Amino acid sequence: MIDEKISPAVIRRLPRYYRYLSEMEEAGIDKLSSSQMSMDMGLNASQIRRDLNCFGGFGQQGYGYSVTKLKKEIARILGLNKRYKVVIIGAGRIGQALLGYRSFMLEGFEIVGIFDSDPAKMGLLPEGHEVFGLESLDSFIAENGIDIAIICTPKEAAQKSADHLVSCGIKGIWNFAPVDVAVRRGVAVENIHLSDSLYVLSYKLCK
Amino acid sequence: MIDEKISPAVIRRLPRYYRYLSEMEEAGIDKLSSSQMSMDMGLNASQIRRDLNCFGGFGQQGYGYSVTKLKKEIARILGLNKRYKVVIIGAGRIGQALLGYRSFMLEGFEIVGIFDSDPAKMGLLPEGHEVFGLESLDSFIAENGIDIAIICTPKEAAQKSADHLVSCGIKGIWNFAPVDVAVRRGVAVENIHLSDSLYVLSYKLCK
DNA sequence: GGGCCAACGTAATAATAATATACAATAATA
DNA sequence: TATTATTGTATATTATTATTACGTTGGCCC
């Protein structure tokens, strides 16, 4: 992977490029110029070229970008060519909803276990998944080589969960609890703050 | 509401301040200085003061900010003192998960209907909610004075749904479909791109 | 009540990111 | 082989965001 510091702004745009390219590919388009992308995506053409060039020259002068090739390259940059083993912590509504999210699996994120502290939640869910107790988490992570944990606990439990997961060697946390969990350097965290987004919507509504 | 352009970055921080203040209030703290907040939140103290001053001088020199007062002010700025009526479009996993999200209701977002195009989904859900057909959406929105719609459809249907909702007079859209829906000026959209966030996590993992 | 101090409010500055412009290099095409 | 399109890249400009610096104000103590 390229090492010189790439700005977070660029990185956050990569998934958008990826989505766009997937759509174009589905639509049967096999060639795109930066100016075409620019019009479709509402970004500056030169910014697009610059973004892509952070990772290498994927285009061809006088021709443009091959949709399939570029999509594959971005997938590689994002690490979507890998497979990740994932556990979910918290078998509430969100946890269960994510459990059934088939499209994650397609992209290489395989949910192999869901855990909860509440004994009432233990046992079989629809579709054959089983909810385990938290006491079995450590050994499960060790035995199954888990890469990513999704935190779907109430906010009170989130930081404790994160600490626990990190101590088990988890390297990536996808956090749905409405707190900013703190982890040591070397562990990646992405937060989905649902209510933050809803509040911003509310703000926009009363402007 | 203050009119001079306030930067999106500031607005996105407001929910975070709100969360932080709620926690401090719960913890029984009634006074905070910007430098204390700065340490807790990992933001620059002066940035905090500037952010808050976009909306008015809520602090007191030589003293700091009253937690309760500041929290109330931010709630007002975000429009959380209002009540919103909300419909969900799409009764799949995410739609159903959001339907049961009690905490939204506490903050003034009341989900009053859930709709789906699939006849197989019609009928009663657990907890007494009923899934309606899309053909009844127009009249439902008109009769119930709906403010916000949550789009939980597959990506193919999202833009069509958005168009439909806007034509019914909906002013705010909370979009969970993995596309950027386009709406006319005057309609607010907030996107939750779950997979974008997951992809960024994946990127961070293979850095 | 006067001086001191804490912490705000805000102006000035610096850093980051986005946009625009330009152009040589190069592959496709006719 | 000439033409054309479009990249890759440099540079400049503008906009946005964050940081530093400091004057101002109100509370508090002696």
Side-chain angles (χ1 to χ4, degrees), chain A residues 1 6 11-12 14-16 18-19 23 26 55 76-80 82 84 93-94 96-98 100-101 104 107 109 127 147-148 155 171-174 176 178-180 188-207, chain B residues 1 6 11-12 14-16 18-19 23 26 55 76-80 82 84 93-94 96-98 100-101 104 107 109 127 147-148 155 171-174 176 178-180 188-207:
Chain A
M1 196 83 350
I6 286 156
I11 291 160
R12 300 243 158 239
L14 291 179
R16 225 177 120 206
Y18 184 73
R19 258 193 284 132
E23 265 173 46
E26 272 175 49
F55 305 96
R76 185 186 50 76
I77 294 160
L78 289 172
L80 303 183
K82 304 203 179 124
Y84 299 97
R93 289 172 182 283
I94 293 189
Q96 290 194 33
L98 292 174
Y101 224 46
F104 289 158
E107 299 290 359
F109 301 87
E127 310 203 21
D147 308 290
I148 294 175
K155 68 168 196 263
K171 283 293 180 301
I173 290 177
W174 202 25
F176 282 75
V179 292
D180 293 304
V189 178
E190 271 290 303
N191 294 296
I192 299 278
H193 289 317
L194 289 183
S195 36
D196 285 20
S197 165
L198 188 58
Y199 293 169
V200 171
L201 183 62
S202 165
Y203 172 86
K204 289 176 179 171
L205 280 173
C206 57
K207 230 182 345 183
Chain B
M1 195 85 348
I6 287 157
I11 292 160
R12 301 244 156 238
L14 291 178
R16 227 177 119 204
Y18 184 73
R19 259 193 284 131
E23 264 173 46
E26 272 176 47
F55 305 96
R76 184 185 51 76
I77 294 161
L78 289 172
L80 303 183
K82 306 204 176 124
Y84 299 96
R93 287 172 185 283
I94 294 190
Q96 289 194 33
L98 293 173
Y101 224 47
F104 289 158
E107 299 290 0
F109 300 87
E127 310 204 19
D147 307 292
I148 295 174
K155 69 169 198 263
K171 284 292 181 301
I173 289 177
W174 202 25
F176 282 74
V179 292
D180 294 304
V189 178
E190 269 292 303
N191 294 297
I192 300 279
H193 288 318
L194 289 183
S195 37
D196 285 20
S197 165
L198 187 59
Y199 294 169
V200 171
L201 182 62
S202 165
Y203 172 86
K204 289 175 179 172
L205 281 174
C206 57
K207 232 186 339 188

Side-chain angles (χ1 to χ4, degrees), chain A residues 89-92 96 114-125 130-135 153-154 157:
Chain A
I89 313 299
Q96 290 194 33
I114 178 163
F115 295 81
D116 204 297
S117 61
D118 179 1
K121 295 241 177 66
M122 298 306 115
L124 234 50
L125 294 178
E130 188 183 351
V131 179
F132 298 110
L134 273 180
E135 66 284 352
T153 66

Side-chain angles (χ1 to χ4, degrees), chain B residues 91-147:
Chain B
R93 287 172 185 283
I94 294 190
Q96 289 194 33
L98 293 173
L99 185 62
Y101 224 47
R102 286 273 160 270
S103 52
F104 289 158
M105 233 202 66
L106 294 177
E107 299 290 0
F109 300 87
E110 190 192 355
I111 296 170
V112 294
I114 178 163
F115 295 81
D116 203 296
S117 61
D118 178 1
K121 295 242 178 63
M122 299 303 117
L124 236 48
L125 294 178
E127 310 204 19
H129 275 103
E130 189 182 350
V131 180
F132 299 110
L134 273 180
E135 67 283 353
S136 57
L137 182 60
D138 295 49
S139 56
F140 189 92
I141 289 176
E143 283 161 24
N144 293 277
I146 304 299
D147 307 292

Side-chain angles (χ1 to χ4, degrees), chain A residues 23-25 37 83 128 160:
Chain A
E23 265 173 46
M24 291 302 108
E25 194 178 46
M37 294 194 237
R83 295 197 65 74
K160 220 183 63 186

